[in-house]
Amino acid sequence: MVEFRGRRPGSGDGEDAVFGLEEVTGDDARFESPPYRVRRYRRAPGRHPVMVQEAVGPDAERRMRHHFDLFGALADFHGPHLPRQLAHVLAYDDTERPHRLLVDCRGTRLCDLDSPDLLHGPMLRTVVQDLFEALAGLHEPRLVHGRISPEHLWWDEAEGLQLAGLDGAVYATEPLPERPAGPWDGRGFRPGLPAAADQDVTSAALVAFWMATGETLPRGASHEHVHAQLGQGHEEWLQDLLRAAFPLGSAVSPPARELVRRLAEGGGPQLPFERPLAERAREREALARQEFRALRARQRTGAAGLRASRFVPAAVRRPGWWRRAAVRLGLIDLRPQAARGPVECPMCLSGLDWGTAERVVLDESRGGLVAESELPPVSGPARTAQLARTYVVCPGNDDVPRHELPYRYPTFDTEPLRIGLVGASTTGKSHLLAAMIDQARKSTVMGRYGLRVEALDPQRYHRYLSEVVTPFIDGRQELPATADRPELRYSTGLIVTDEHSGRSHSVVFFDVAGGRLERTGRESDFLNRLGALLCVVDPTRVPGLTARGGTLGRDPAFEHVRQRLRLQQGDPSVPFLPLPCALVVTKSDLLRFRGYREIDGWLHEKPDAEGDLATVERESEDVYAFLGARGGGDWLQLAGECQGSTLHLASATGTGPRDPGDQAAARRFDEALFRQHRVLRPLLALLAMKGVMTGPAADALLRGRGHGT
């Protein structure tokens, strides 16, 4: 924690103030913005992002003092109605060098974006309106910015657009500062010209055109040329704005406040680049929604057929009140009991007699795994602790080497649940699983639904945390692609206990290399006995969905897994595979602000997106319609063949990784944007469809279409 002491802006010299600041780390925590050095902080309490500018040299000190004085005049003029779209000066410190300015400014400069695509979508019109609101707030006390450009505009997803750079502003009729003309200056600009508000309006209109199109108009273009450019099919609100800002027959643009009024009229924001093709897209979306509802009707009918064929058990009933009360009072013993009968290994599918199979115990004092027969017998709490370190040895087969299974794996008198992640390499499976495990252990969401989560194998679980979860979540490191190793291991395992039913289930996750999912040998036999699928769709593989990639086409892992399950688990007389599927469009942060109306509301949900599982069915229909109408139909086939299916939007990172200067270093995610969003909903859906989670929330999720299996 550091302190910033300075004077607040306003009448006179301003009052002294002290601000507590928390340092921000990361690649962009410090940067140069000549003639200043800039450092990012978070203001305490509340951790609100702010910046501290340090003046470099006497000229920078003069400009900084000018900025402080101008903002004080703005604060006096507007009072409590000072526009939020102007980057607010909080305090100024000139007691020692370097002089410093504390500015309530956040987000990313538009000039630092690779393209303005990030702004596209329903919010674009609002972003442009923010720009003209800032100008109107400047022009009312007769100030002129004089340098409107993406360099002075900051955008934050939550706060909108802010205009900075007031150190070069002047009052109207004062000469414009010396600087070369740029692409954002209107026709006739030259240094020394008397400043006028319409010069800002012209520059802002040129920036708005770039925001919407990614293109810049030729410097000094005539009003007639601008109007000719607008005949290329741009959306109506942009055409109206630019025609007003560049009026034919006049060299003077209208006031910024008039353009704000024009942008605010007409109800909600319109989508950018609305074309006649949009109508065809809406028709495809409507057809996809019809297909989804038909699928749901078939799944409800098919559930009875599956149970009649004895391919799956009947839906788990909620236990009676007497059992629930006995569990809460501790009258029913939920400790692991010895498994009865043969147990199928989840990795090689060998049958093991759990009572007589070879057992080993992890004993660090003896250097690792030791045969249980070599240890002295123990009882009571010591025996329970030893069982947590005990493994049953499975001999494996020619394709899967010898391995060990936690003793507790089959000992809860319930069927263990095996969840397989499906998707090609680099689709984000490992990131999604790591985010799920981290959220399941740290957040309060699981407890909210009556679920208690603990490690199935504490040793392997803690190794997974230290090698995968901690570097990813705490270190913000990009995880390497999952290696295609000859030995097969599940990634991690949990014990999930449901307080509503009093039952515990072992849940193991298989996150293997995408190439292994496509092979047909015995090394992939574990696919044949999966109990649930977690299918990951990378939107960059779907042509046209994002600005990145989209040329790879369909995911071969989906088709290979579908064919494998159809051969091994399918019944020709029943149309559905007897297992549930949660399909997740991950990296969904790439889909924001692109005008996808069917999913945009889910992408902008508040952080507590796991709070209402009753909305999963509506989300599933919207995601199905999104993929079905926009070229992602190939990814829907596997979900459409499973008896139970849900579809989700999630992001394990919230942003893409940044390339480090050192090519040998791991890529990291931006600290300010890194977050996990909606990652638990797919897991909760699978647990509900498998009967692991019961109670009102599971009933709400499953309502109207029955249990998956």
Side-chain angles (χ1 to χ4, degrees), residues 311 344-350 409 415-420 508 510 524-533 564-565 568-569 578-579 690:
F311 267 70
E344 184 178 79
C345 172
M347 291 178 279
C348 66
L349 309 188
S350 300
Y409 172 71
E415 182 70 22
L417 173 57
R418 313 171 197 179
I419 299 177
V508 294
F510 285 91
S524 299
D525 279 353
F526 75 97
L527 292 171
N528 303 341
R529 298 291 291 163
L530 290 176
L533 302 179
R564 184 97 180 208
L565 292 174
Q568 297 294 329
Q569 294 194 29
L579 77 171
K690 290 298 294 185

PDB file of all heavy atoms in Angstrom, residues 311 344-350 409 415-420 508 510 524-533 564-565 568-569 578-579 690:
ATOM      1  N   PHE A 311     -30.772 -49.689 -20.460  1.00  0.00           N
ATOM      2  CA  PHE A 311     -29.457 -49.135 -20.738  1.00  0.00           C
ATOM      3  C   PHE A 311     -29.004 -48.186 -19.650  1.00  0.00           C
ATOM      4  O   PHE A 311     -27.832 -47.963 -19.475  1.00  0.00           O
ATOM      5  CB  PHE A 311     -29.468 -48.404 -22.096  1.00  0.00           C
ATOM      6  CG  PHE A 311     -29.053 -49.288 -23.225  1.00  0.00           C
ATOM      7  CD1 PHE A 311     -29.870 -50.311 -23.656  1.00  0.00           C
ATOM      8  CD2 PHE A 311     -27.830 -49.108 -23.835  1.00  0.00           C
ATOM      9  CE1 PHE A 311     -29.482 -51.132 -24.691  1.00  0.00           C
ATOM     10  CE2 PHE A 311     -27.427 -49.939 -24.870  1.00  0.00           C
ATOM     11  CZ  PHE A 311     -28.256 -50.956 -25.313  1.00  0.00           C
ATOM     12  N   GLU A 344     -14.744 -52.026 -12.084  1.00  0.00           N
ATOM     13  CA  GLU A 344     -14.141 -51.775 -13.390  1.00  0.00           C
ATOM     14  C   GLU A 344     -13.171 -50.602 -13.296  1.00  0.00           C
ATOM     15  O   GLU A 344     -13.517 -49.524 -12.817  1.00  0.00           O
ATOM     16  CB  GLU A 344     -15.239 -51.458 -14.411  1.00  0.00           C
ATOM     17  CG  GLU A 344     -14.731 -51.271 -15.822  1.00  0.00           C
ATOM     18  CD  GLU A 344     -15.864 -51.000 -16.796  1.00  0.00           C
ATOM     19  OE1 GLU A 344     -16.343 -49.844 -16.834  1.00  0.00           O
ATOM     20  OE2 GLU A 344     -16.273 -51.940 -17.503  1.00  0.00           O
ATOM     21  N   CYS A 345     -11.949 -50.820 -13.747  1.00  0.00           N
ATOM     22  CA  CYS A 345     -10.957 -49.746 -13.767  1.00  0.00           C
ATOM     23  C   CYS A 345     -11.390 -48.702 -14.793  1.00  0.00           C
ATOM     24  O   CYS A 345     -11.694 -49.051 -15.943  1.00  0.00           O
ATOM     25  CB  CYS A 345      -9.584 -50.304 -14.125  1.00  0.00           C
ATOM     26  SG  CYS A 345      -8.341 -49.011 -14.389  1.00  0.00           S
ATOM     27  N   PRO A 346     -11.414 -47.423 -14.439  1.00  0.00           N
ATOM     28  CA  PRO A 346     -11.876 -46.410 -15.387  1.00  0.00           C
ATOM     29  C   PRO A 346     -10.891 -46.131 -16.512  1.00  0.00           C
ATOM     30  O   PRO A 346     -11.260 -45.491 -17.504  1.00  0.00           O
ATOM     31  CB  PRO A 346     -12.059 -45.172 -14.507  1.00  0.00           C
ATOM     32  CG  PRO A 346     -11.096 -45.353 -13.389  1.00  0.00           C
ATOM     33  CD  PRO A 346     -11.079 -46.839 -13.130  1.00  0.00           C
ATOM     34  N   MET A 347      -9.645 -46.621 -16.391  1.00  0.00           N
ATOM     35  CA  MET A 347      -8.632 -46.298 -17.394  1.00  0.00           C
ATOM     36  C   MET A 347      -8.425 -47.414 -18.409  1.00  0.00           C
ATOM     37  O   MET A 347      -8.352 -47.164 -19.609  1.00  0.00           O
ATOM     38  CB  MET A 347      -7.320 -45.947 -16.691  1.00  0.00           C
ATOM     39  CG  MET A 347      -7.421 -44.619 -15.930  1.00  0.00           C
ATOM     40  SD  MET A 347      -5.944 -44.148 -15.022  1.00  0.00           S
ATOM     41  CE  MET A 347      -6.125 -45.115 -13.530  1.00  0.00           C
ATOM     42  N   CYS A 348      -8.349 -48.660 -17.938  1.00  0.00           N
ATOM     43  CA  CYS A 348      -8.130 -49.763 -18.885  1.00  0.00           C
ATOM     44  C   CYS A 348      -9.318 -50.709 -18.957  1.00  0.00           C
ATOM     45  O   CYS A 348      -9.307 -51.659 -19.741  1.00  0.00           O
ATOM     46  CB  CYS A 348      -6.872 -50.532 -18.519  1.00  0.00           C
ATOM     47  SG  CYS A 348      -6.978 -51.411 -16.937  1.00  0.00           S
ATOM     48  N   LEU A 349     -10.340 -50.496 -18.131  1.00  0.00           N
ATOM     49  CA  LEU A 349     -11.587 -51.274 -18.100  1.00  0.00           C
ATOM     50  C   LEU A 349     -11.387 -52.688 -17.583  1.00  0.00           C
ATOM     51  O   LEU A 349     -12.273 -53.539 -17.747  1.00  0.00           O
ATOM     52  CB  LEU A 349     -12.253 -51.299 -19.483  1.00  0.00           C
ATOM     53  CG  LEU A 349     -12.451 -49.937 -20.170  1.00  0.00           C
ATOM     54  CD1 LEU A 349     -13.303 -50.108 -21.422  1.00  0.00           C
ATOM     55  CD2 LEU A 349     -13.064 -48.934 -19.224  1.00  0.00           C
ATOM     56  N   SER A 350     -10.252 -52.986 -16.936  1.00  0.00           N
ATOM     57  CA  SER A 350     -10.058 -54.300 -16.330  1.00  0.00           C
ATOM     58  C   SER A 350     -10.972 -54.452 -15.121  1.00  0.00           C
ATOM     59  O   SER A 350     -11.272 -53.478 -14.419  1.00  0.00           O
ATOM     60  CB  SER A 350      -8.595 -54.469 -15.883  1.00  0.00           C
ATOM     61  OG  SER A 350      -7.721 -54.349 -16.976  1.00  0.00           O
ATOM     62  N   TYR A 409     -12.142 -45.024  -4.415  1.00  0.00           N
ATOM     63  CA  TYR A 409     -12.843 -44.799  -5.680  1.00  0.00           C
ATOM     64  C   TYR A 409     -14.223 -45.458  -5.758  1.00  0.00           C
ATOM     65  O   TYR A 409     -15.211 -44.798  -6.093  1.00  0.00           O
ATOM     66  CB  TYR A 409     -11.940 -45.263  -6.841  1.00  0.00           C
ATOM     67  CG  TYR A 409     -12.612 -45.254  -8.187  1.00  0.00           C
ATOM     68  CD1 TYR A 409     -12.915 -44.062  -8.832  1.00  0.00           C
ATOM     69  CD2 TYR A 409     -12.949 -46.458  -8.821  1.00  0.00           C
ATOM     70  CE1 TYR A 409     -13.534 -44.058 -10.071  1.00  0.00           C
ATOM     71  CE2 TYR A 409     -13.560 -46.462 -10.054  1.00  0.00           C
ATOM     72  CZ  TYR A 409     -13.857 -45.257 -10.672  1.00  0.00           C
ATOM     73  OH  TYR A 409     -14.477 -45.262 -11.897  1.00  0.00           O
ATOM     74  N   GLU A 415     -22.404 -45.446  -8.083  1.00  0.00           N
ATOM     75  CA  GLU A 415     -21.623 -45.639  -9.309  1.00  0.00           C
ATOM     76  C   GLU A 415     -20.682 -44.456  -9.501  1.00  0.00           C
ATOM     77  O   GLU A 415     -21.116 -43.310  -9.564  1.00  0.00           O
ATOM     78  CB  GLU A 415     -22.553 -45.747 -10.514  1.00  0.00           C
ATOM     79  CG  GLU A 415     -21.844 -45.992 -11.839  1.00  0.00           C
ATOM     80  CD  GLU A 415     -21.238 -47.391 -11.943  1.00  0.00           C
ATOM     81  OE1 GLU A 415     -21.704 -48.282 -11.203  1.00  0.00           O
ATOM     82  OE2 GLU A 415     -20.318 -47.577 -12.752  1.00  0.00           O
ATOM     83  N   PRO A 416     -19.350 -44.677  -9.568  1.00  0.00           N
ATOM     84  CA  PRO A 416     -18.446 -43.553  -9.844  1.00  0.00           C
ATOM     85  C   PRO A 416     -18.778 -42.904 -11.182  1.00  0.00           C
ATOM     86  O   PRO A 416     -19.220 -43.570 -12.129  1.00  0.00           O
ATOM     87  CB  PRO A 416     -17.060 -44.208  -9.868  1.00  0.00           C
ATOM     88  CG  PRO A 416     -17.205 -45.461  -9.059  1.00  0.00           C
ATOM     89  CD  PRO A 416     -18.609 -45.937  -9.337  1.00  0.00           C
ATOM     90  N   LEU A 417     -18.576 -41.608 -11.245  1.00  0.00           N
ATOM     91  CA  LEU A 417     -18.877 -40.851 -12.454  1.00  0.00           C
ATOM     92  C   LEU A 417     -17.575 -40.512 -13.166  1.00  0.00           C
ATOM     93  O   LEU A 417     -16.679 -39.894 -12.588  1.00  0.00           O
ATOM     94  CB  LEU A 417     -19.638 -39.568 -12.107  1.00  0.00           C
ATOM     95  CG  LEU A 417     -19.895 -38.578 -13.245  1.00  0.00           C
ATOM     96  CD1 LEU A 417     -20.655 -39.234 -14.386  1.00  0.00           C
ATOM     97  CD2 LEU A 417     -20.632 -37.355 -12.726  1.00  0.00           C
ATOM     98  N   ARG A 418     -17.481 -40.897 -14.454  1.00  0.00           N
ATOM     99  CA  ARG A 418     -16.308 -40.597 -15.269  1.00  0.00           C
ATOM    100  C   ARG A 418     -16.707 -39.534 -16.298  1.00  0.00           C
ATOM    101  O   ARG A 418     -17.584 -39.772 -17.133  1.00  0.00           O
ATOM    102  CB  ARG A 418     -15.814 -41.845 -15.984  1.00  0.00           C
ATOM    103  CG  ARG A 418     -15.718 -43.063 -15.088  1.00  0.00           C
ATOM    104  CD  ARG A 418     -15.442 -44.323 -15.896  1.00  0.00           C
ATOM    105  NE  ARG A 418     -15.730 -45.532 -15.134  1.00  0.00           N
ATOM    106  CZ  ARG A 418     -15.590 -46.762 -15.608  1.00  0.00           C
ATOM    107  NH1 ARG A 418     -15.157 -46.939 -16.843  1.00  0.00           N
ATOM    108  NH2 ARG A 418     -15.892 -47.806 -14.859  1.00  0.00           N
ATOM    109  N   ILE A 419     -16.065 -38.384 -16.232  1.00  0.00           N
ATOM    110  CA  ILE A 419     -16.367 -37.273 -17.135  1.00  0.00           C
ATOM    111  C   ILE A 419     -15.199 -37.105 -18.097  1.00  0.00           C
ATOM    112  O   ILE A 419     -14.054 -36.925 -17.670  1.00  0.00           O
ATOM    113  CB  ILE A 419     -16.602 -35.963 -16.360  1.00  0.00           C
ATOM    114  CG1 ILE A 419     -17.802 -36.120 -15.415  1.00  0.00           C
ATOM    115  CG2 ILE A 419     -16.827 -34.799 -17.321  1.00  0.00           C
ATOM    116  CD1 ILE A 419     -18.064 -34.886 -14.558  1.00  0.00           C
ATOM    117  N   GLY A 420     -15.478 -37.167 -19.370  1.00  0.00           N
ATOM    118  CA  GLY A 420     -14.453 -36.999 -20.390  1.00  0.00           C
ATOM    119  C   GLY A 420     -14.575 -35.651 -21.075  1.00  0.00           C
ATOM    120  O   GLY A 420     -15.666 -35.261 -21.494  1.00  0.00           O
ATOM    121  N   VAL A 508     -14.331 -38.484 -11.538  1.00  0.00           N
ATOM    122  CA  VAL A 508     -12.994 -38.345 -12.116  1.00  0.00           C
ATOM    123  C   VAL A 508     -13.111 -37.687 -13.482  1.00  0.00           C
ATOM    124  O   VAL A 508     -14.092 -37.878 -14.204  1.00  0.00           O
ATOM    125  CB  VAL A 508     -12.273 -39.705 -12.231  1.00  0.00           C
ATOM    126  CG1 VAL A 508     -11.997 -40.273 -10.853  1.00  0.00           C
ATOM    127  CG2 VAL A 508     -13.067 -40.692 -13.066  1.00  0.00           C
ATOM    128  N   PHE A 510     -11.256 -36.908 -17.192  1.00  0.00           N
ATOM    129  CA  PHE A 510     -10.256 -37.293 -18.176  1.00  0.00           C
ATOM    130  C   PHE A 510     -10.025 -36.120 -19.129  1.00  0.00           C
ATOM    131  O   PHE A 510     -10.901 -35.765 -19.920  1.00  0.00           O
ATOM    132  CB  PHE A 510     -10.706 -38.522 -18.967  1.00  0.00           C
ATOM    133  CG  PHE A 510     -10.620 -39.809 -18.202  1.00  0.00           C
ATOM    134  CD1 PHE A 510     -11.702 -40.271 -17.469  1.00  0.00           C
ATOM    135  CD2 PHE A 510      -9.449 -40.551 -18.209  1.00  0.00           C
ATOM    136  CE1 PHE A 510     -11.622 -41.460 -16.757  1.00  0.00           C
ATOM    137  CE2 PHE A 510      -9.365 -41.740 -17.498  1.00  0.00           C
ATOM    138  CZ  PHE A 510     -10.450 -42.194 -16.769  1.00  0.00           C
ATOM    139  N   SER A 524      -7.555 -46.046 -26.118  1.00  0.00           N
ATOM    140  CA  SER A 524      -8.694 -45.127 -26.008  1.00  0.00           C
ATOM    141  C   SER A 524      -9.960 -45.840 -25.550  1.00  0.00           C
ATOM    142  O   SER A 524     -11.055 -45.283 -25.642  1.00  0.00           O
ATOM    143  CB  SER A 524      -8.952 -44.441 -27.356  1.00  0.00           C
ATOM    144  OG  SER A 524      -7.840 -43.696 -27.763  1.00  0.00           O
ATOM    145  N   ASP A 525      -9.816 -47.054 -25.034  1.00  0.00           N
ATOM    146  CA  ASP A 525     -11.000 -47.794 -24.589  1.00  0.00           C
ATOM    147  C   ASP A 525     -11.729 -47.106 -23.441  1.00  0.00           C
ATOM    148  O   ASP A 525     -12.918 -47.359 -23.216  1.00  0.00           O
ATOM    149  CB  ASP A 525     -10.609 -49.216 -24.152  1.00  0.00           C
ATOM    150  CG  ASP A 525     -10.447 -50.157 -25.345  1.00  0.00           C
ATOM    151  OD1 ASP A 525     -10.772 -49.729 -26.469  1.00  0.00           O
ATOM    152  OD2 ASP A 525      -9.999 -51.296 -25.140  1.00  0.00           O
ATOM    153  N   PHE A 526     -11.015 -46.241 -22.695  1.00  0.00           N
ATOM    154  CA  PHE A 526     -11.681 -45.554 -21.582  1.00  0.00           C
ATOM    155  C   PHE A 526     -12.892 -44.759 -22.062  1.00  0.00           C
ATOM    156  O   PHE A 526     -13.839 -44.525 -21.315  1.00  0.00           O
ATOM    157  CB  PHE A 526     -10.690 -44.632 -20.866  1.00  0.00           C
ATOM    158  CG  PHE A 526     -10.361 -43.372 -21.616  1.00  0.00           C
ATOM    159  CD1 PHE A 526     -11.013 -42.187 -21.325  1.00  0.00           C
ATOM    160  CD2 PHE A 526      -9.410 -43.372 -22.631  1.00  0.00           C
ATOM    161  CE1 PHE A 526     -10.725 -41.019 -22.010  1.00  0.00           C
ATOM    162  CE2 PHE A 526      -9.110 -42.210 -23.324  1.00  0.00           C
ATOM    163  CZ  PHE A 526      -9.771 -41.031 -23.012  1.00  0.00           C
ATOM    164  N   LEU A 527     -12.889 -44.343 -23.345  1.00  0.00           N
ATOM    165  CA  LEU A 527     -14.019 -43.594 -23.896  1.00  0.00           C
ATOM    166  C   LEU A 527     -15.308 -44.415 -23.857  1.00  0.00           C
ATOM    167  O   LEU A 527     -16.404 -43.868 -23.705  1.00  0.00           O
ATOM    168  CB  LEU A 527     -13.735 -43.176 -25.341  1.00  0.00           C
ATOM    169  CG  LEU A 527     -12.629 -42.142 -25.568  1.00  0.00           C
ATOM    170  CD1 LEU A 527     -12.332 -42.022 -27.056  1.00  0.00           C
ATOM    171  CD2 LEU A 527     -13.049 -40.798 -25.005  1.00  0.00           C
ATOM    172  N   ASN A 528     -15.167 -45.727 -23.993  1.00  0.00           N
ATOM    173  CA  ASN A 528     -16.350 -46.578 -24.104  1.00  0.00           C
ATOM    174  C   ASN A 528     -17.194 -46.576 -22.838  1.00  0.00           C
ATOM    175  O   ASN A 528     -18.384 -46.909 -22.892  1.00  0.00           O
ATOM    176  CB  ASN A 528     -15.935 -48.030 -24.408  1.00  0.00           C
ATOM    177  CG  ASN A 528     -15.101 -48.138 -25.667  1.00  0.00           C
ATOM    178  OD1 ASN A 528     -15.104 -47.230 -26.503  1.00  0.00           O
ATOM    179  ND2 ASN A 528     -14.387 -49.242 -25.811  1.00  0.00           N
ATOM    180  N   ARG A 529     -16.594 -46.238 -21.699  1.00  0.00           N
ATOM    181  CA  ARG A 529     -17.316 -46.335 -20.435  1.00  0.00           C
ATOM    182  C   ARG A 529     -17.439 -44.990 -19.724  1.00  0.00           C
ATOM    183  O   ARG A 529     -17.668 -44.957 -18.518  1.00  0.00           O
ATOM    184  CB  ARG A 529     -16.611 -47.348 -19.527  1.00  0.00           C
ATOM    185  CG  ARG A 529     -16.583 -48.759 -20.109  1.00  0.00           C
ATOM    186  CD  ARG A 529     -17.955 -49.374 -20.138  1.00  0.00           C
ATOM    187  NE  ARG A 529     -18.400 -49.654 -18.775  1.00  0.00           N
ATOM    188  CZ  ARG A 529     -19.659 -49.884 -18.429  1.00  0.00           C
ATOM    189  NH1 ARG A 529     -20.616 -49.828 -19.346  1.00  0.00           N
ATOM    190  NH2 ARG A 529     -19.970 -50.149 -17.170  1.00  0.00           N
ATOM    191  N   LEU A 530     -17.275 -43.913 -20.465  1.00  0.00           N
ATOM    192  CA  LEU A 530     -17.492 -42.600 -19.858  1.00  0.00           C
ATOM    193  C   LEU A 530     -18.936 -42.468 -19.416  1.00  0.00           C
ATOM    194  O   LEU A 530     -19.850 -42.978 -20.062  1.00  0.00           O
ATOM    195  CB  LEU A 530     -17.149 -41.491 -20.856  1.00  0.00           C
ATOM    196  CG  LEU A 530     -15.664 -41.303 -21.194  1.00  0.00           C
ATOM    197  CD1 LEU A 530     -15.515 -40.228 -22.263  1.00  0.00           C
ATOM    198  CD2 LEU A 530     -14.846 -40.948 -19.962  1.00  0.00           C
ATOM    199  N   GLY A 531     -19.137 -41.761 -18.305  1.00  0.00           N
ATOM    200  CA  GLY A 531     -20.492 -41.556 -17.807  1.00  0.00           C
ATOM    201  C   GLY A 531     -21.082 -40.225 -18.196  1.00  0.00           C
ATOM    202  O   GLY A 531     -22.297 -40.019 -18.072  1.00  0.00           O
ATOM    203  N   ALA A 532     -20.233 -39.289 -18.657  1.00  0.00           N
ATOM    204  CA  ALA A 532     -20.715 -37.957 -19.050  1.00  0.00           C
ATOM    205  C   ALA A 532     -19.653 -37.307 -19.914  1.00  0.00           C
ATOM    206  O   ALA A 532     -18.459 -37.609 -19.797  1.00  0.00           O
ATOM    207  CB  ALA A 532     -21.010 -37.091 -17.820  1.00  0.00           C
ATOM    208  N   LEU A 533     -20.091 -36.405 -20.783  1.00  0.00           N
ATOM    209  CA  LEU A 533     -19.191 -35.706 -21.698  1.00  0.00           C
ATOM    210  C   LEU A 533     -19.199 -34.211 -21.397  1.00  0.00           C
ATOM    211  O   LEU A 533     -20.261 -33.622 -21.182  1.00  0.00           O
ATOM    212  CB  LEU A 533     -19.612 -35.923 -23.154  1.00  0.00           C
ATOM    213  CG  LEU A 533     -19.691 -37.363 -23.659  1.00  0.00           C
ATOM    214  CD1 LEU A 533     -20.157 -37.377 -25.110  1.00  0.00           C
ATOM    215  CD2 LEU A 533     -18.341 -38.061 -23.527  1.00  0.00           C
ATOM    216  N   ARG A 564     -17.299 -43.663 -31.682  1.00  0.00           N
ATOM    217  CA  ARG A 564     -16.849 -44.660 -30.709  1.00  0.00           C
ATOM    218  C   ARG A 564     -17.974 -44.994 -29.725  1.00  0.00           C
ATOM    219  O   ARG A 564     -18.240 -46.172 -29.436  1.00  0.00           O
ATOM    220  CB  ARG A 564     -15.645 -44.100 -29.958  1.00  0.00           C
ATOM    221  CG  ARG A 564     -15.023 -45.067 -28.978  1.00  0.00           C
ATOM    222  CD  ARG A 564     -13.850 -45.757 -29.597  1.00  0.00           C
ATOM    223  NE  ARG A 564     -13.231 -46.702 -28.689  1.00  0.00           N
ATOM    224  CZ  ARG A 564     -11.954 -47.033 -28.730  1.00  0.00           C
ATOM    225  NH1 ARG A 564     -11.161 -46.483 -29.618  1.00  0.00           N
ATOM    226  NH2 ARG A 564     -11.457 -47.925 -27.900  1.00  0.00           N
ATOM    227  N   LEU A 565     -18.621 -43.977 -29.207  1.00  0.00           N
ATOM    228  CA  LEU A 565     -19.700 -44.214 -28.253  1.00  0.00           C
ATOM    229  C   LEU A 565     -20.893 -44.880 -28.922  1.00  0.00           C
ATOM    230  O   LEU A 565     -21.567 -45.714 -28.312  1.00  0.00           O
ATOM    231  CB  LEU A 565     -20.123 -42.886 -27.615  1.00  0.00           C
ATOM    232  CG  LEU A 565     -19.086 -42.239 -26.689  1.00  0.00           C
ATOM    233  CD1 LEU A 565     -19.561 -40.865 -26.254  1.00  0.00           C
ATOM    234  CD2 LEU A 565     -18.816 -43.113 -25.478  1.00  0.00           C
ATOM    235  N   GLN A 568     -20.078 -48.586 -29.092  1.00  0.00           N
ATOM    236  CA  GLN A 568     -19.904 -49.299 -27.838  1.00  0.00           C
ATOM    237  C   GLN A 568     -21.091 -49.190 -26.893  1.00  0.00           C
ATOM    238  O   GLN A 568     -21.393 -50.132 -26.168  1.00  0.00           O
ATOM    239  CB  GLN A 568     -18.652 -48.774 -27.123  1.00  0.00           C
ATOM    240  CG  GLN A 568     -17.364 -49.011 -27.887  1.00  0.00           C
ATOM    241  CD  GLN A 568     -17.034 -50.488 -28.013  1.00  0.00           C
ATOM    242  OE1 GLN A 568     -17.364 -51.285 -27.143  1.00  0.00           O
ATOM    243  NE2 GLN A 568     -16.389 -50.856 -29.104  1.00  0.00           N
ATOM    244  N   GLN A 569     -21.763 -48.049 -26.876  1.00  0.00           N
ATOM    245  CA  GLN A 569     -22.843 -47.844 -25.914  1.00  0.00           C
ATOM    246  C   GLN A 569     -24.213 -47.758 -26.564  1.00  0.00           C
ATOM    247  O   GLN A 569     -25.220 -47.831 -25.880  1.00  0.00           O
ATOM    248  CB  GLN A 569     -22.590 -46.562 -25.098  1.00  0.00           C
ATOM    249  CG  GLN A 569     -21.381 -46.613 -24.193  1.00  0.00           C
ATOM    250  CD  GLN A 569     -21.386 -45.480 -23.181  1.00  0.00           C
ATOM    251  OE1 GLN A 569     -22.439 -45.001 -22.776  1.00  0.00           O
ATOM    252  NE2 GLN A 569     -20.203 -45.049 -22.760  1.00  0.00           N
ATOM    253  N   PRO A 578     -26.713 -43.299 -24.024  1.00  0.00           N
ATOM    254  CA  PRO A 578     -27.195 -43.258 -22.632  1.00  0.00           C
ATOM    255  C   PRO A 578     -26.264 -42.504 -21.689  1.00  0.00           C
ATOM    256  O   PRO A 578     -25.844 -43.024 -20.657  1.00  0.00           O
ATOM    257  CB  PRO A 578     -27.278 -44.739 -22.268  1.00  0.00           C
ATOM    258  CG  PRO A 578     -26.163 -45.357 -23.042  1.00  0.00           C
ATOM    259  CD  PRO A 578     -26.110 -44.608 -24.353  1.00  0.00           C
ATOM    260  N   LEU A 579     -25.911 -41.297 -22.031  1.00  0.00           N
ATOM    261  CA  LEU A 579     -25.093 -40.472 -21.150  1.00  0.00           C
ATOM    262  C   LEU A 579     -25.364 -39.009 -21.464  1.00  0.00           C
ATOM    263  O   LEU A 579     -25.772 -38.676 -22.577  1.00  0.00           O
ATOM    264  CB  LEU A 579     -23.594 -40.794 -21.292  1.00  0.00           C
ATOM    265  CG  LEU A 579     -22.811 -40.276 -22.500  1.00  0.00           C
ATOM    266  CD1 LEU A 579     -21.327 -40.543 -22.289  1.00  0.00           C
ATOM    267  CD2 LEU A 579     -23.264 -40.894 -23.798  1.00  0.00           C
ATOM    268  N   LYS A 690     -26.820 -36.500 -13.908  1.00  0.00           N
ATOM    269  CA  LYS A 690     -26.409 -37.825 -13.449  1.00  0.00           C
ATOM    270  C   LYS A 690     -26.988 -38.182 -12.088  1.00  0.00           C
ATOM    271  O   LYS A 690     -26.732 -39.272 -11.580  1.00  0.00           O
ATOM    272  CB  LYS A 690     -24.876 -37.903 -13.380  1.00  0.00           C
ATOM    273  CG  LYS A 690     -24.196 -37.913 -14.729  1.00  0.00           C
ATOM    274  CD  LYS A 690     -24.568 -39.107 -15.583  1.00  0.00           C
ATOM    275  CE  LYS A 690     -24.100 -40.424 -15.020  1.00  0.00           C
ATOM    276  NZ  LYS A 690     -24.375 -41.569 -15.921  1.00  0.00           N
TER     277      LYS A 690
END
